[in-house]
Amino acid sequence: MPKSDIHPTWFKDTPILCDGKPLCLIGSTKSELQIDIWLANHQFYSKSQLMIDSEGRVERFMKKYGLNSTDQ
């Protein structure tokens, strides 16, 4: 005979929330699921990729540690 009361409670209609807005309902062992990123707000899928400022990294590093480009 299997042991009773060892399995977690199953919630049939668990809401998935992103920024407090419900996205869909699924079955889960948790009563509510909070997510940060999903298909509609992910940069790759929404084609709204932000340009990351990568210029000046070397210059900022050199300035931070007091190095000159001629000091090698």
Side-chain angles (χ1 to χ4, degrees):
M1 227 38 214
K3 293 182 182 179
S4 61
D5 299 329
I6 63 168
H7 298 288
T9 305
W10 184 256
F11 297 96
K12 183 179 176 185
D13 293 322
T14 301
I16 297 179
L17 304 173
C18 183
D19 295 330
K21 299 174 189 169
L23 302 175
C24 63
L25 298 173
I26 64 165
S28 176
T29 58
K30 298 193 178 207
S31 62
E32 183 179 280
L33 297 172
Q34 296 279 342
I35 61 171
D36 296 326
I37 297 176
W38 68 294
L39 183 68
N41 71 353
H42 191 277
Q43 295 176 27
F44 181 77
Y45 298 108
S46 65
K47 295 184 169 80
S48 65
Q49 295 182 3
L50 300 174
M51 292 298 293
I52 298 173
D53 179 18
S54 61
E55 284 190 46
R57 285 186 177 183
V58 173
E59 289 79 12
R60 284 191 307 235
F61 177 85
M62 300 295 262
K63 183 178 177 184
K64 180 178 179 180
Y65 293 104
L67 302 172
N68 293 327
S69 59
T70 59
D71 292 347
Q72 291 182 1

